[in-house]
Amino acid sequence: MTGGKGIASALAPVREALADGARAEAARLVAGAERDAAAIVDEARAEASRILDGARAEGRADGALAAAAARSRARAESRAIVLGARRRAYEELRRRVRGEVRALFDGPDAPANRAALAARARALLGSGARVERAGGGGLVARVPDAELDLSAGALADRALAALGTEVADLWAPR
């Protein structure tokens, strides 16, 4: 069972602020990774060029095969580096979003935030829902046949999921 439109609406400003900060941090992380990847690609190209020069000396056919293999290795290595950088950027974004959401349940607005979540949980599950604090912040609400996870971790994951392809756009080339 999801938190519904009410939670999404309530979290929209938080999600936007987190997304803005995440975009800037992700852009910084990805720019650095892309610089690293470009340097490695340059090194790989130089190595491919050296291999190609040597292969030309041995024969045109052998040289073409060696150069293609070197370029293929360079492309694969470059792609692996970029994908690794994107994964690290996403994990850092996820860690920061989770921290920001947890902070909503530690700060001065924590009682109001918990009350709003409890009211939303009871609106979704019924007034008899048992609402408990979740470890790490947030709440978990239960009725005999359903459970609603409104923990800080689940709310952060939902906020990231709601960004959809917008998260991938954080590290897309501009």
Side-chain angles (χ1 to χ4, degrees), residues 78-124:
S78 174
R79 179 80 174 139
I81 290 168
V82 169
L83 289 175
R86 286 179 179 177
R87 172 44 85 192
R88 287 188 302 276
Y90 178 81
E91 289 302 326
E92 177 64 13
L93 169 63
R94 185 172 185 247
R95 184 189 68 75
R96 288 179 182 214
V97 168
R98 282 178 163 238
E100 291 294 325
V101 172
R102 266 193 305 277
L104 294 172
F105 300 102
D106 292 335
D109 295 331
N113 291 336
R114 279 192 298 272
L117 278 181
R120 182 67 183 148
R122 287 191 174 101
L124 291 169

mmCIF file of all heavy atoms in Angstrom, residues 78-124:
data_model
loop_
_atom_site.group_PDB
_atom_site.id
_atom_site.type_symbol
_atom_site.label_atom_id
_atom_site.label_comp_id
_atom_site.label_asym_id
_atom_site.label_seq_id
_atom_site.Cartn_x
_atom_site.Cartn_y
_atom_site.Cartn_z
ATOM 1 N N SER A 78 35.996 2.704 -20.303
ATOM 2 C CA SER A 78 35.400 4.024 -20.125
ATOM 3 C C SER A 78 33.956 3.898 -19.652
ATOM 4 O O SER A 78 33.529 4.590 -18.725
ATOM 5 C CB SER A 78 35.464 4.800 -21.444
ATOM 6 O OG SER A 78 34.764 6.011 -21.328
ATOM 7 N N ARG A 79 33.213 3.014 -20.276
ATOM 8 C CA ARG A 79 31.796 2.811 -19.901
ATOM 9 C C ARG A 79 31.692 2.324 -18.453
ATOM 10 O O ARG A 79 30.844 2.778 -17.693
ATOM 11 C CB ARG A 79 31.153 1.805 -20.860
ATOM 12 C CG ARG A 79 29.720 1.500 -20.560
ATOM 13 C CD ARG A 79 28.819 2.573 -21.097
ATOM 14 N NE ARG A 79 27.435 2.175 -20.901
ATOM 15 C CZ ARG A 79 26.499 2.992 -20.525
ATOM 16 N NH1 ARG A 79 26.758 4.264 -20.359
ATOM 17 N NH2 ARG A 79 25.276 2.567 -20.347
ATOM 18 N N ALA A 80 32.564 1.402 -18.076
ATOM 19 C CA ALA A 80 32.547 0.895 -16.700
ATOM 20 C C ALA A 80 32.832 2.014 -15.699
ATOM 21 O O ALA A 80 32.210 2.093 -14.643
ATOM 22 C CB ALA A 80 33.558 -0.240 -16.545
ATOM 23 N N ILE A 81 33.748 2.890 -16.033
ATOM 24 C CA ILE A 81 34.092 4.005 -15.143
ATOM 25 C C ILE A 81 32.906 4.953 -15.005
ATOM 26 O O ILE A 81 32.548 5.369 -13.902
ATOM 27 C CB ILE A 81 35.338 4.739 -15.657
ATOM 28 C CG1 ILE A 81 36.562 3.851 -15.473
ATOM 29 C CG2 ILE A 81 35.523 6.085 -14.952
ATOM 30 C CD1 ILE A 81 37.783 4.334 -16.199
ATOM 31 N N VAL A 82 32.277 5.289 -16.128
ATOM 32 C CA VAL A 82 31.126 6.207 -16.081
ATOM 33 C C VAL A 82 29.979 5.577 -15.302
ATOM 34 O O VAL A 82 29.355 6.230 -14.458
ATOM 35 C CB VAL A 82 30.700 6.607 -17.508
ATOM 36 C CG1 VAL A 82 29.367 7.336 -17.494
ATOM 37 C CG2 VAL A 82 31.765 7.482 -18.149
ATOM 38 N N LEU A 83 29.692 4.303 -15.555
ATOM 39 C CA LEU A 83 28.606 3.632 -14.828
ATOM 40 C C LEU A 83 28.908 3.561 -13.328
ATOM 41 O O LEU A 83 28.014 3.758 -12.499
ATOM 42 C CB LEU A 83 28.360 2.239 -15.395
ATOM 43 C CG LEU A 83 27.727 2.197 -16.780
ATOM 44 C CD1 LEU A 83 27.640 0.759 -17.280
ATOM 45 C CD2 LEU A 83 26.354 2.851 -16.785
ATOM 46 N N GLY A 84 30.169 3.295 -12.989
ATOM 47 C CA GLY A 84 30.548 3.274 -11.574
ATOM 48 C C GLY A 84 30.362 4.640 -10.925
ATOM 49 O O GLY A 84 29.882 4.747 -9.799
ATOM 50 N N ALA A 85 30.725 5.683 -11.648
ATOM 51 C CA ALA A 85 30.559 7.048 -11.117
ATOM 52 C C ALA A 85 29.080 7.371 -10.938
ATOM 53 O O ALA A 85 28.688 7.982 -9.942
ATOM 54 C CB ALA A 85 31.207 8.061 -12.063
ATOM 55 N N ARG A 86 28.274 6.964 -11.896
ATOM 56 C CA ARG A 86 26.828 7.207 -11.772
ATOM 57 C C ARG A 86 26.260 6.461 -10.573
ATOM 58 O O ARG A 86 25.432 6.996 -9.838
ATOM 59 C CB ARG A 86 26.116 6.776 -13.047
ATOM 60 C CG ARG A 86 26.344 7.719 -14.190
ATOM 61 C CD ARG A 86 25.642 7.256 -15.433
ATOM 62 N NE ARG A 86 25.870 8.206 -16.528
ATOM 63 C CZ ARG A 86 25.424 8.034 -17.740
ATOM 64 N NH1 ARG A 86 24.731 6.970 -18.058
ATOM 65 N NH2 ARG A 86 25.668 8.946 -18.662
ATOM 66 N N ARG A 87 26.677 5.218 -10.358
ATOM 67 C CA ARG A 87 26.190 4.428 -9.234
ATOM 68 C C ARG A 87 26.598 5.100 -7.922
ATOM 69 O O ARG A 87 25.806 5.227 -6.999
ATOM 70 C CB ARG A 87 26.735 3.007 -9.337
ATOM 71 C CG ARG A 87 26.470 2.110 -8.125
ATOM 72 C CD ARG A 87 25.100 2.197 -7.566
ATOM 73 N NE ARG A 87 24.143 1.346 -8.209
ATOM 74 C CZ ARG A 87 22.843 1.474 -7.985
ATOM 75 N NH1 ARG A 87 22.373 2.391 -7.181
ATOM 76 N NH2 ARG A 87 21.994 0.687 -8.571
ATOM 77 N N ARG A 88 27.860 5.537 -7.846
ATOM 78 C CA ARG A 88 28.312 6.216 -6.621
ATOM 79 C C ARG A 88 27.528 7.512 -6.399
ATOM 80 O O ARG A 88 27.158 7.827 -5.266
ATOM 81 C CB ARG A 88 29.810 6.486 -6.683
ATOM 82 C CG ARG A 88 30.660 5.233 -6.511
ATOM 83 C CD ARG A 88 32.147 5.540 -6.385
ATOM 84 N NE ARG A 88 32.694 6.269 -7.522
ATOM 85 C CZ ARG A 88 33.104 5.708 -8.646
ATOM 86 N NH1 ARG A 88 33.020 4.407 -8.808
ATOM 87 N NH2 ARG A 88 33.602 6.445 -9.628
ATOM 88 N N ALA A 89 27.265 8.255 -7.467
ATOM 89 C CA ALA A 89 26.496 9.501 -7.344
ATOM 90 C C ALA A 89 25.085 9.197 -6.855
ATOM 91 O O ALA A 89 24.553 9.889 -5.979
ATOM 92 C CB ALA A 89 26.454 10.245 -8.684
ATOM 93 N N TYR A 90 24.469 8.152 -7.401
ATOM 94 C CA TYR A 90 23.113 7.792 -6.983
ATOM 95 C C TYR A 90 23.112 7.353 -5.516
ATOM 96 O O TYR A 90 22.237 7.759 -4.749
ATOM 97 C CB TYR A 90 22.549 6.670 -7.861
ATOM 98 C CG TYR A 90 21.168 6.255 -7.411
ATOM 99 C CD1 TYR A 90 20.057 7.003 -7.786
ATOM 100 C CD2 TYR A 90 20.980 5.156 -6.595
ATOM 101 C CE1 TYR A 90 18.791 6.651 -7.347
ATOM 102 C CE2 TYR A 90 19.724 4.797 -6.157
ATOM 103 C CZ TYR A 90 18.631 5.551 -6.535
ATOM 104 O OH TYR A 90 17.376 5.197 -6.093
ATOM 105 N N GLU A 91 24.071 6.532 -5.132
ATOM 106 C CA GLU A 91 24.127 6.077 -3.737
ATOM 107 C C GLU A 91 24.358 7.248 -2.791
ATOM 108 O O GLU A 91 23.785 7.297 -1.705
ATOM 109 C CB GLU A 91 25.205 5.006 -3.560
ATOM 110 C CG GLU A 91 24.849 3.677 -4.212
ATOM 111 C CD GLU A 91 23.551 3.073 -3.702
ATOM 112 O OE1 GLU A 91 23.219 3.240 -2.505
ATOM 113 O OE2 GLU A 91 22.832 2.460 -4.518
ATOM 114 N N GLU A 92 25.188 8.206 -3.198
ATOM 115 C CA GLU A 92 25.407 9.399 -2.375
ATOM 116 C C GLU A 92 24.124 10.224 -2.288
ATOM 117 O O GLU A 92 23.748 10.708 -1.217
ATOM 118 C CB GLU A 92 26.559 10.237 -2.938
ATOM 119 C CG GLU A 92 26.819 11.527 -2.185
ATOM 120 C CD GLU A 92 27.270 11.336 -0.740
ATOM 121 O OE1 GLU A 92 27.638 10.215 -0.336
ATOM 122 O OE2 GLU A 92 27.229 12.324 0.011
ATOM 123 N N LEU A 93 23.441 10.372 -3.404
ATOM 124 C CA LEU A 93 22.157 11.082 -3.415
ATOM 125 C C LEU A 93 21.175 10.379 -2.482
ATOM 126 O O LEU A 93 20.516 11.018 -1.658
ATOM 127 C CB LEU A 93 21.600 11.133 -4.840
ATOM 128 C CG LEU A 93 20.154 11.612 -4.998
ATOM 129 C CD1 LEU A 93 20.021 13.057 -4.535
ATOM 130 C CD2 LEU A 93 19.724 11.473 -6.448
ATOM 131 N N ARG A 94 21.092 9.077 -2.587
ATOM 132 C CA ARG A 94 20.165 8.297 -1.750
ATOM 133 C C ARG A 94 20.509 8.467 -0.267
ATOM 134 O O ARG A 94 19.635 8.667 0.571
ATOM 135 C CB ARG A 94 20.242 6.828 -2.151
ATOM 136 C CG ARG A 94 19.237 5.953 -1.440
ATOM 137 C CD ARG A 94 19.261 4.552 -2.053
ATOM 138 N NE ARG A 94 18.245 3.727 -1.475
ATOM 139 C CZ ARG A 94 18.508 2.673 -0.714
ATOM 140 N NH1 ARG A 94 19.763 2.322 -0.479
ATOM 141 N NH2 ARG A 94 17.526 1.968 -0.212
ATOM 142 N N ARG A 95 21.813 8.413 0.053
ATOM 143 C CA ARG A 95 22.239 8.584 1.448
ATOM 144 C C ARG A 95 21.834 9.961 1.973
ATOM 145 O O ARG A 95 21.306 10.095 3.080
ATOM 146 C CB ARG A 95 23.758 8.402 1.543
ATOM 147 C CG ARG A 95 24.298 8.464 2.970
ATOM 148 C CD ARG A 95 25.817 8.510 2.989
ATOM 149 N NE ARG A 95 26.362 9.747 2.462
ATOM 150 C CZ ARG A 95 26.356 10.916 3.108
ATOM 151 N NH1 ARG A 95 25.818 11.018 4.291
ATOM 152 N NH2 ARG A 95 26.881 11.993 2.546
ATOM 153 N N ARG A 96 22.044 10.984 1.152
ATOM 154 C CA ARG A 96 21.714 12.351 1.580
ATOM 155 C C ARG A 96 20.202 12.550 1.707
ATOM 156 O O ARG A 96 19.738 13.204 2.644
ATOM 157 C CB ARG A 96 22.307 13.363 0.612
ATOM 158 C CG ARG A 96 23.794 13.467 0.747
ATOM 159 C CD ARG A 96 24.365 14.442 -0.222
ATOM 160 N NE ARG A 96 25.813 14.483 -0.108
ATOM 161 C CZ ARG A 96 26.521 15.550 -0.279
ATOM 162 N NH1 ARG A 96 25.952 16.691 -0.617
ATOM 163 N NH2 ARG A 96 27.826 15.502 -0.155
ATOM 164 N N VAL A 97 19.436 12.015 0.772
ATOM 165 C CA VAL A 97 17.976 12.143 0.849
ATOM 166 C C VAL A 97 17.471 11.458 2.109
ATOM 167 O O VAL A 97 16.642 12.010 2.839
ATOM 168 C CB VAL A 97 17.294 11.570 -0.423
ATOM 169 C CG1 VAL A 97 15.802 11.429 -0.220
ATOM 170 C CG2 VAL A 97 17.585 12.462 -1.624
ATOM 171 N N ARG A 98 17.985 10.258 2.379
ATOM 172 C CA ARG A 98 17.561 9.553 3.595
ATOM 173 C C ARG A 98 17.909 10.377 4.837
ATOM 174 O O ARG A 98 17.111 10.461 5.777
ATOM 175 C CB ARG A 98 18.210 8.178 3.671
ATOM 176 C CG ARG A 98 17.543 7.178 2.766
ATOM 177 C CD ARG A 98 18.233 5.825 2.808
ATOM 178 N NE ARG A 98 17.349 4.843 2.257
ATOM 179 C CZ ARG A 98 16.935 3.770 2.893
ATOM 180 N NH1 ARG A 98 17.355 3.528 4.117
ATOM 181 N NH2 ARG A 98 16.096 2.928 2.326
ATOM 182 N N GLY A 99 19.080 10.985 4.853
ATOM 183 C CA GLY A 99 19.463 11.824 5.988
ATOM 184 C C GLY A 99 18.552 13.021 6.151
ATOM 185 O O GLY A 99 18.157 13.371 7.266
ATOM 186 N N GLU A 100 18.205 13.652 5.033
ATOM 187 C CA GLU A 100 17.313 14.819 5.089
ATOM 188 C C GLU A 100 15.917 14.420 5.582
ATOM 189 O O GLU A 100 15.295 15.139 6.371
ATOM 190 C CB GLU A 100 17.209 15.481 3.718
ATOM 191 C CG GLU A 100 18.480 16.161 3.252
ATOM 192 C CD GLU A 100 18.858 17.359 4.101
ATOM 193 O OE1 GLU A 100 17.946 18.079 4.569
ATOM 194 O OE2 GLU A 100 20.063 17.577 4.296
ATOM 195 N N VAL A 101 15.428 13.285 5.129
ATOM 196 C CA VAL A 101 14.097 12.841 5.579
ATOM 197 C C VAL A 101 14.157 12.469 7.053
ATOM 198 O O VAL A 101 13.251 12.823 7.829
ATOM 199 C CB VAL A 101 13.565 11.679 4.702
ATOM 200 C CG1 VAL A 101 12.285 11.106 5.290
ATOM 201 C CG2 VAL A 101 13.329 12.166 3.276
ATOM 202 N N ARG A 102 15.219 11.762 7.469
ATOM 203 C CA ARG A 102 15.357 11.432 8.902
ATOM 204 C C ARG A 102 15.375 12.701 9.741
ATOM 205 O O ARG A 102 14.814 12.738 10.839
ATOM 206 C CB ARG A 102 16.643 10.633 9.138
ATOM 207 C CG ARG A 102 16.437 9.148 9.124
ATOM 208 C CD ARG A 102 17.648 8.400 9.659
ATOM 209 N NE ARG A 102 18.881 8.722 8.973
ATOM 210 C CZ ARG A 102 19.284 8.180 7.847
ATOM 211 N NH1 ARG A 102 18.557 7.277 7.261
ATOM 212 N NH2 ARG A 102 20.428 8.539 7.292
ATOM 213 N N ALA A 103 15.994 13.767 9.225
ATOM 214 C CA ALA A 103 16.073 15.025 9.965
ATOM 215 C C ALA A 103 14.684 15.612 10.215
ATOM 216 O O ALA A 103 14.484 16.337 11.189
ATOM 217 C CB ALA A 103 16.941 16.029 9.211
ATOM 218 N N LEU A 104 13.733 15.295 9.355
ATOM 219 C CA LEU A 104 12.360 15.778 9.567
ATOM 220 C C LEU A 104 11.756 15.214 10.854
ATOM 221 O O LEU A 104 10.813 15.781 11.400
ATOM 222 C CB LEU A 104 11.466 15.399 8.385
ATOM 223 C CG LEU A 104 11.802 16.057 7.050
ATOM 224 C CD1 LEU A 104 10.963 15.433 5.938
ATOM 225 C CD2 LEU A 104 11.567 17.546 7.128
ATOM 226 N N PHE A 105 12.309 14.080 11.326
ATOM 227 C CA PHE A 105 11.775 13.433 12.515
ATOM 228 C C PHE A 105 12.678 13.622 13.731
ATOM 229 O O PHE A 105 12.426 13.058 14.777
ATOM 230 C CB PHE A 105 11.546 11.937 12.239
ATOM 231 C CG PHE A 105 10.579 11.720 11.125
ATOM 232 C CD1 PHE A 105 11.023 11.380 9.855
ATOM 233 C CD2 PHE A 105 9.226 11.917 11.322
ATOM 234 C CE1 PHE A 105 10.139 11.213 8.817
ATOM 235 C CE2 PHE A 105 8.337 11.757 10.285
ATOM 236 C CZ PHE A 105 8.784 11.403 9.029
ATOM 237 N N ASP A 106 13.726 14.424 13.564
ATOM 238 C CA ASP A 106 14.627 14.711 14.677
ATOM 239 C C ASP A 106 14.563 16.176 15.100
ATOM 240 O O ASP A 106 14.947 16.504 16.204
ATOM 241 C CB ASP A 106 16.084 14.396 14.285
ATOM 242 C CG ASP A 106 16.305 12.905 14.091
ATOM 243 O OD1 ASP A 106 15.557 12.110 14.678
ATOM 244 O OD2 ASP A 106 17.236 12.556 13.332
ATOM 245 N N GLY A 107 14.123 17.048 14.227
ATOM 246 C CA GLY A 107 14.161 18.483 14.483
ATOM 247 C C GLY A 107 12.944 18.983 15.228
ATOM 248 O O GLY A 107 12.112 18.223 15.723
ATOM 249 N N PRO A 108 12.815 20.292 15.271
ATOM 250 C CA PRO A 108 11.726 20.916 16.020
ATOM 251 C C PRO A 108 10.345 20.622 15.419
ATOM 252 O O PRO A 108 9.348 20.680 16.124
ATOM 253 C CB PRO A 108 12.043 22.413 15.956
ATOM 254 C CG PRO A 108 12.996 22.567 14.815
ATOM 255 C CD PRO A 108 13.718 21.277 14.682
ATOM 256 N N ASP A 109 10.284 20.289 14.149
ATOM 257 C CA ASP A 109 9.004 19.992 13.511
ATOM 258 C C ASP A 109 8.634 18.520 13.613
ATOM 259 O O ASP A 109 7.614 18.099 13.059
ATOM 260 C CB ASP A 109 9.041 20.405 12.030
ATOM 261 C CG ASP A 109 9.200 21.904 11.855
ATOM 262 O OD1 ASP A 109 8.741 22.656 12.741
ATOM 263 O OD2 ASP A 109 9.784 22.309 10.835
ATOM 264 N N ALA A 110 9.450 17.727 14.293
ATOM 265 C CA ALA A 110 9.228 16.284 14.371
ATOM 266 C C ALA A 110 7.825 15.925 14.892
ATOM 267 O O ALA A 110 7.145 15.109 14.277
ATOM 268 C CB ALA A 110 10.307 15.615 15.212
ATOM 269 N N PRO A 111 7.357 16.528 15.999
ATOM 270 C CA PRO A 111 6.022 16.143 16.484
ATOM 271 C C PRO A 111 4.922 16.432 15.447
ATOM 272 O O PRO A 111 4.035 15.601 15.231
ATOM 273 C CB PRO A 111 5.830 16.994 17.748
ATOM 274 C CG PRO A 111 7.228 17.283 18.213
ATOM 275 C CD PRO A 111 8.034 17.422 16.953
ATOM 276 N N ALA A 112 5.005 17.573 14.798
ATOM 277 C CA ALA A 112 3.998 17.905 13.783
ATOM 278 C C ALA A 112 4.103 16.967 12.586
ATOM 279 O O ALA A 112 3.079 16.543 12.028
ATOM 280 C CB ALA A 112 4.164 19.359 13.332
ATOM 281 N N ASN A 113 5.319 16.631 12.191
ATOM 282 C CA ASN A 113 5.502 15.710 11.066
ATOM 283 C C ASN A 113 4.962 14.322 11.400
ATOM 284 O O ASN A 113 4.293 13.694 10.576
ATOM 285 C CB ASN A 113 6.978 15.625 10.668
ATOM 286 C CG ASN A 113 7.474 16.911 10.044
ATOM 287 O OD1 ASN A 113 6.701 17.691 9.509
ATOM 288 N ND2 ASN A 113 8.775 17.139 10.138
ATOM 289 N N ARG A 114 5.239 13.844 12.620
ATOM 290 C CA ARG A 114 4.714 12.537 13.032
ATOM 291 C C ARG A 114 3.188 12.568 13.100
ATOM 292 O O ARG A 114 2.519 11.633 12.661
ATOM 293 C CB ARG A 114 5.300 12.123 14.380
ATOM 294 C CG ARG A 114 6.696 11.531 14.257
ATOM 295 C CD ARG A 114 7.145 10.855 15.542
ATOM 296 N NE ARG A 114 7.234 11.777 16.661
ATOM 297 C CZ ARG A 114 8.315 12.485 16.952
ATOM 298 N NH1 ARG A 114 9.399 12.372 16.218
ATOM 299 N NH2 ARG A 114 8.318 13.296 17.973
ATOM 300 N N ALA A 115 2.633 13.659 13.613
ATOM 301 C CA ALA A 115 1.168 13.766 13.713
ATOM 302 C C ALA A 115 0.533 13.772 12.322
ATOM 303 O O ALA A 115 -0.493 13.123 12.100
ATOM 304 C CB ALA A 115 0.786 15.029 14.486
ATOM 305 N N ALA A 116 1.129 14.485 11.390
ATOM 306 C CA ALA A 116 0.594 14.527 10.026
ATOM 307 C C ALA A 116 0.658 13.147 9.381
ATOM 308 O O ALA A 116 -0.292 12.716 8.709
ATOM 309 C CB ALA A 116 1.363 15.543 9.182
ATOM 310 N N LEU A 117 1.767 12.436 9.593
ATOM 311 C CA LEU A 117 1.880 11.085 9.029
ATOM 312 C C LEU A 117 0.890 10.131 9.684
ATOM 313 O O LEU A 117 0.282 9.295 9.006
ATOM 314 C CB LEU A 117 3.297 10.543 9.211
ATOM 315 C CG LEU A 117 4.332 10.985 8.201
ATOM 316 C CD1 LEU A 117 5.679 10.338 8.507
ATOM 317 C CD2 LEU A 117 3.921 10.650 6.784
ATOM 318 N N ALA A 118 0.722 10.245 10.988
ATOM 319 C CA ALA A 118 -0.234 9.375 11.686
ATOM 320 C C ALA A 118 -1.648 9.630 11.186
ATOM 321 O O ALA A 118 -2.425 8.686 10.954
ATOM 322 C CB ALA A 118 -0.148 9.592 13.198
ATOM 323 N N ALA A 119 -1.989 10.879 10.986
ATOM 324 C CA ALA A 119 -3.333 11.211 10.475
ATOM 325 C C ALA A 119 -3.515 10.640 9.076
ATOM 326 O O ALA A 119 -4.576 10.095 8.744
ATOM 327 C CB ALA A 119 -3.532 12.725 10.466
ATOM 328 N N ARG A 120 -2.488 10.747 8.246
ATOM 329 C CA ARG A 120 -2.578 10.210 6.883
ATOM 330 C C ARG A 120 -2.700 8.688 6.907
ATOM 331 O O ARG A 120 -3.472 8.104 6.150
ATOM 332 C CB ARG A 120 -1.337 10.639 6.082
ATOM 333 C CG ARG A 120 -1.369 10.184 4.672
ATOM 334 C CD ARG A 120 -2.483 10.886 3.912
ATOM 335 N NE ARG A 120 -2.527 10.376 2.560
ATOM 336 C CZ ARG A 120 -3.614 10.264 1.837
ATOM 337 N NH1 ARG A 120 -4.768 10.677 2.316
ATOM 338 N NH2 ARG A 120 -3.572 9.774 0.638
ATOM 339 N N ALA A 121 -1.941 8.044 7.789
ATOM 340 C CA ALA A 121 -2.000 6.583 7.896
ATOM 341 C C ALA A 121 -3.391 6.132 8.316
ATOM 342 O O ALA A 121 -3.955 5.186 7.745
ATOM 343 C CB ALA A 121 -0.962 6.089 8.899
ATOM 344 N N ARG A 122 -3.976 6.832 9.285
ATOM 345 C CA ARG A 122 -5.318 6.456 9.739
ATOM 346 C C ARG A 122 -6.372 6.757 8.673
ATOM 347 O O ARG A 122 -7.364 6.046 8.554
ATOM 348 C CB ARG A 122 -5.624 7.163 11.052
ATOM 349 C CG ARG A 122 -4.827 6.552 12.193
ATOM 350 C CD ARG A 122 -5.268 7.013 13.565
ATOM 351 N NE ARG A 122 -4.549 6.281 14.584
ATOM 352 C CZ ARG A 122 -3.509 6.743 15.250
ATOM 353 N NH1 ARG A 122 -3.078 7.977 15.032
ATOM 354 N NH2 ARG A 122 -2.899 6.001 16.154
ATOM 355 N N ALA A 123 -6.137 7.802 7.879
ATOM 356 C CA ALA A 123 -7.057 8.091 6.776
ATOM 357 C C ALA A 123 -7.006 6.973 5.737
ATOM 358 O O ALA A 123 -8.031 6.620 5.144
ATOM 359 C CB ALA A 123 -6.712 9.433 6.126
ATOM 360 N N LEU A 124 -5.831 6.401 5.538
ATOM 361 C CA LEU A 124 -5.680 5.333 4.542
ATOM 362 C C LEU A 124 -6.095 3.962 5.070
ATOM 363 O O LEU A 124 -6.703 3.177 4.337
ATOM 364 C CB LEU A 124 -4.231 5.275 4.053
ATOM 365 C CG LEU A 124 -3.773 6.450 3.205
ATOM 366 C CD1 LEU A 124 -2.260 6.409 3.011
ATOM 367 C CD2 LEU A 124 -4.473 6.423 1.853
#
